[in-house]
Amino acid sequence: MNLRASSIYAQIPLIILYLIPPLATAWFILDYGVDVPYHDQWILPSLFENFKSGTLQFIDLFNLHNYHRLIFPKLIFLGLGLTLNWNIYAELICSFLLAILTFLGLYQLSRLTNPEQQDNLFHLTNLLTSLVFFSWIQYQNWLWGFQVAIFLINFCTISACLILSYPKFLSTKWQYIGSAILCGIASFSSAQGLASWLALIPCVLGLEGSLTQRRKRLLVWILLFLISAYIYFLGYQPDEALKNDAFKNNPDLAQNPTLFLIHFLFNIIASPLIGSLQWSWVLGLIILCYFFYLLYELLIKNPHLYSFAFPWISIGLFGLLSSVLIAKGRYYLGADYGILQSSRFTTHTLLLLVAIFQLSLIWVRFKISALELLKNQGINTVLTYGVLVGILGSLTILRGEYAVIQATDLSFFLKSGQTCLTLIDYLEDSPFLNTSVDSCLVRIYPDVAFLRQEVKRLKTLQLRTFAETIPFVSDPNLKYGYLHPLPNNEPLVIRRKMPMSLSGWAILPDSQQQPNLIFLSYNNQKSFFANAYITVARPDIAELLKSKSYTRAGWQVVFSGESLPVGENKIKAWVYDPKRQQFIQLNGENYVTVKPKKKP
């Protein structure tokens, strides 16, 4: 009993090391995640409405969305959305739980392919796998509920691979059927899911049986893939307008599309580790070459290692094939897009790295044992492997630091969007709010008219909460900020198309959480025609009010006279206090006269 207890206690430091990456990512999601739907998520209210009214049809689930069939993710969205008032945190947590289950599958596969050798090399490899698998460079996927599909596909693919590699768990027949069902789910969760069929061919060939049985299984497997692909592409008519415009505007792309595609592919393969515009493609090429070198070593030179290697070969192929599909669908946006917007693409592509780590472990073990290396040579091999693991781990952590910067910006704009969505009934149908890149509504969804329509659906369905009666406080007791006067303190006269700029500063003096936005109104309107982000550095305000919280309390906004009525307008600035649920006017008012359009 004492020996067993001491053994458990000895494992505690190792368990803690394994827990650090997932716990860090859980904190990351809770700290930077925001309960607000944005972009593609706004296709879901109509789905909720159809379900509630009893008119939901299979075609609603099957319909194409941006090249993808999202049947199973839509079912998840329906279940979570209608049960939990469409709280986006539920989707984020679902993605995280799928990632946890997927990593457990990877760990179990590693145990299967390293029998009776759970030593330092094993744990070093799997700790690196955990670090990369839960890396923050996937910040867009961790923080966007719509990306449940990505994590679901990974879960299905790894689970299918595990089932096919675990002969003691199920009979061969049910291994085959179970993995086929999982590949079917992956196929109709997003386009990359189709790659699971092809990637898992090595696992299918690894099933026990005679040569004839294996050939039959392979034939049926390929047939199932073709059937899935045929169904997937029924009525497949993606919008190619953006792609066509890219070819028209970029002569180099039109002349060398294959070069752009390959460059893009190499960039996204390297994206979990580095984000250099100059060197990413080089590292991507090295990673790909090393993967094929490992295949040569483990399949051609040492075919007896196939039984240990085939699960990781399948996982590596899935990461590679997914990367190819992503590159094929996005390369026209430019090779650098694969770096600058790589966060969304890494969740699949990093599986190639995971496979390389695990195949390297198998290869290193074989080299040490098969060649009967001298003790010093064996130690050198292990040390070299450890140094490489350390370098890769360091690169992953550095990419995580970059991800924090990006996630901070994303979270800021999502929180601003959350505020605007809650207050949408107070936001006018103005040119600024409908079209400006600085509009907090445009940040949520670029087509504001469509957004307002979907908000009406949510109100009817009683999903989410929207502000209805908020008081306007014009004479607060505390100092909340200032609307700077116009030049020379004189009224401004502009025409409808002319731009004008206003600036100032704003705070919530008795709150730790500072505002992200101010809103502008005219005359006595109890609604707003524009917003501004509070991001401008104001060290003078922080020094004056003796609080570092006010270091970036400044704001500035540019809008045209189109957002104002013709004639004289008194402009006021307001800040929203969510704690007291009231709009509070900032000190100062400006007068702007808008002249009508010139008659031709």
Side-chain angles (χ1 to χ4, degrees):
M1 205 51 192
N2 290 333
L3 288 174
R4 185 176 180 184
S6 61
S7 176
I8 293 173
Y9 284 128
Q11 295 294 315
I12 289 177
L14 186 62
I15 293 170
I16 291 173
L17 286 174
Y18 272 108
L19 288 175
I20 287 174
L23 288 179
T25 298
W27 169 84
F28 182 84
I29 292 170
L30 293 175
D31 195 56
Y32 291 100
V34 182
D35 178 22
V36 62
Y38 75 106
H39 286 263
D40 301 54
Q41 285 172 294
W42 285 101
I43 68 167
L44 298 177
S46 61
L47 204 67
F48 297 150
E49 184 180 60
N50 289 346
F51 183 86
K52 281 271 194 176
S53 64
T55 60
L56 182 69
Q57 298 179 350
F58 177 75
I59 193 66
D60 297 320
L61 302 174
F62 184 74
N63 276 339
L64 196 67
H65 175 74
N66 288 348
Y67 303 92
H68 304 291
R69 306 283 186 196
L70 304 173
I71 294 176
F72 293 97
K74 284 179 179 178
L75 291 173
I76 292 174
F77 295 139
L78 276 171
L80 295 177
L82 295 176
T83 304
L84 300 170
N85 198 36
W86 203 21
N87 187 314
I88 302 305
Y89 276 111
E91 297 170 7
L92 301 183
I93 292 170
C94 181
S95 294
F96 179 69
L97 292 177
L98 285 169
I100 289 286
L101 293 173
T102 305
F103 175 73
L104 291 175
L106 290 170
Y107 182 82
Q108 185 60 29
L109 275 172
S110 189
R111 290 186 62 189
L112 287 171
T113 54
N114 290 275
E116 300 180 7
Q117 295 199 55
Q118 275 81 61
D119 55 7
N120 291 338
L121 277 179
F122 172 85
H123 292 301
L124 192 64
T125 302
N126 282 288
L127 285 170
L128 178 62
T129 296
S130 177
L131 187 64
V132 171
F133 188 78
F134 290 103
S135 65
W136 293 353
I137 195 57
Q138 308 166 77
Y139 70 91
Q140 285 182 308
N141 292 339
W142 290 129
L143 303 178
W144 189 14
F146 200 72
Q147 297 298 74
V148 163
I150 304 298
F151 295 98
L152 178 61
I153 291 170
N154 275 5
F155 169 73
C156 289
T157 303
I158 302 305
S159 297
C161 192
L162 181 60
I163 289 173
L164 289 170
S165 309
Y166 207 158
K168 295 179 182 178
F169 182 62
L170 292 170
S171 66
T172 302
K173 172 186 173 182
W174 285 108
Q175 282 180 282
Y176 192 83
I177 293 173
S179 58
I181 290 172
L182 288 167
C183 286
I185 293 172
S187 297
F188 293 96
S189 294
S190 188
Q192 294 93 303
L194 287 169
S196 62
W197 293 100
L198 299 177
L200 286 174
I201 286 176
C203 286
V204 173
L205 292 175
L207 284 173
E208 295 178 351
S210 65
L211 182 61
T212 302
Q213 287 176 319
R214 293 183 180 188
R215 285 176 176 173
K216 285 181 179 178
R217 291 188 198 121
L218 178 61
L219 182 62
V220 173
W221 191 263
I222 293 173
L223 182 61
L224 289 172
F225 162 68
L226 293 174
I227 291 171
S228 297
Y230 174 77
I231 295 172
Y232 192 97
F233 288 104
L234 282 173
Y236 190 85
Q237 293 181 329
D239 186 1
E240 299 285 349
L242 188 62
K243 184 176 180 179
N244 294 334
D245 288 342
F247 274 85
K248 288 179 183 178
N249 298 327
N250 190 339
D252 292 336
L253 173 63
Q255 291 177 4
N256 301 293
T258 304
L259 184 62
F260 272 74
L261 189 151
I262 294 172
H263 192 176
F264 190 104
L265 174 64
F266 290 161
N267 281 348
I268 61 173
I269 287 174
S271 62
L273 299 177
I274 67 169
S276 168
L277 296 177
Q278 290 78 32
W279 297 106
S280 285
W281 72 271
V282 177
L283 181 59
L285 176 60
I286 292 171
I287 290 170
L288 196 58
C289 289
Y290 181 57
F291 177 64
F292 285 118
Y293 172 74
L294 287 172
L295 296 187
Y296 170 75
E297 282 285 341
L298 297 171
L299 296 183
I300 297 176
K301 287 186 67 175
N302 303 285
H304 62 281
L305 294 175
Y306 182 78
S307 60
F308 298 104
F310 71 78
W312 302 113
I313 293 172
S314 286
I315 291 170
L317 286 175
F318 176 73
L320 177 58
L321 290 172
S322 296
S323 300
V324 170
L325 286 173
I326 292 167
K328 184 68 174 68
R330 301 283 182 174
Y331 76 94
Y332 61 87
L333 297 172
D336 292 345
Y337 186 85
I339 301 171
L340 301 175
Q341 297 294 326
S342 63
S343 178
R344 285 183 295 157
F345 310 139
T346 51
T347 302
H348 288 323
T349 59
L350 59 77
L351 288 178
L352 175 60
L353 291 175
V354 168
I356 286 174
F357 302 156
Q358 299 289 341
L359 289 172
S360 296
L361 175 61
I362 295 170
W363 183 57
V364 166
R365 285 196 191 284
F366 168 72
K367 280 292 187 183
I368 292 173
S369 61
L371 298 178
E372 296 182 354
L373 295 176
L374 296 175
K375 186 176 181 181
N376 288 339
Q377 290 176 303
I379 292 173
N380 290 337
T381 301
V382 173
L383 286 175
T384 302
Y385 184 74
V387 169
L388 290 174
V389 167
I391 292 171
L392 293 172
S394 299
L395 289 173
T396 303
I397 292 170
L398 288 173
R399 287 294 275 161
E401 292 180 0
Y402 165 80
V404 167
I405 297 171
Q406 299 301 312
T408 301
D409 289 342
L410 176 60
S411 182
F412 174 86
F413 287 112
L414 289 180
K415 287 176 180 176
S416 302
Q418 182 186 40
T419 300
C420 284
L421 184 62
T422 302
L423 305 174
I424 194 167
D425 289 339
Y426 290 88
L427 303 182
E428 297 176 2
D429 190 16
S430 68
F432 178 92
L433 289 171
N434 287 345
T435 60
S436 173
V437 293
D438 292 321
S439 164
C440 57
L441 293 179
V442 171
R443 293 272 185 171
I444 298 174
Y445 194 80
D447 185 346
V448 175
F450 176 80
L451 174 66
R452 291 182 186 274
Q453 170 190 311
E454 298 310 295
V455 166
K456 289 179 180 178
R457 290 186 199 268
L458 293 178
K459 289 179 179 178
T460 303
L461 296 169
Q462 296 183 324
L463 291 177
R464 303 189 65 84
T465 303
F466 301 92
E468 294 180 354
T469 306
I470 301 179
F472 284 69
V473 179
S474 300
D475 190 18
N477 295 325
L478 299 174
K479 188 176 293 184
Y480 282 81
Y482 200 70
L483 168 60
H484 290 159
L486 294 167
N488 302 319
N489 284 324
E490 294 182 358
L492 183 66
V493 179
I494 61 172
R495 293 198 177 273
R496 297 279 287 168
K497 295 285 186 180
M498 284 180 60
M500 65 168 291
S501 175
L502 293 176
S503 63
W505 58 272
I507 63 170
L508 291 175
D510 56 352
S511 175
Q512 289 185 343
Q513 185 66 43
Q514 291 303 299
N516 292 338
L517 296 162
I518 63 95
F519 299 96
L520 297 178
S521 69
Y522 58 85
N523 302 329
N524 295 317
Q525 292 290 108
K526 299 296 184 182
S527 58
F528 308 108
F529 68 89
N531 69 265
Y533 295 105
I534 304 173
T535 58
V536 179
R538 290 298 301 265
D540 56 322
I541 301 300
E543 183 178 356
L544 177 68
L545 301 178
K546 296 179 173 54
S547 175
K548 293 182 180 180
S549 299
Y550 308 148
T551 302
R552 303 190 71 84
W555 58 267
Q556 185 173 18
V557 61
V558 176
F559 59 91
S560 72
E562 289 180 301
S563 292
L564 297 170
V566 173
E568 186 180 65
N569 298 280
K570 181 166 63 175
I571 307 298
K572 304 174 186 178
W574 306 77
V575 65
Y576 176 63
D577 184 347
K579 185 178 178 181
R580 295 182 174 84
Q581 295 191 334
Q582 57 188 17
F583 294 114
I584 302 167
Q585 186 178 349
L586 307 184
N587 290 339
E589 295 175 346
N590 286 327
Y591 288 87
V592 178
T593 299
V594 179
K595 288 189 173 183
K597 289 174 64 176
K598 285 184 178 181
K599 293 183 180 180

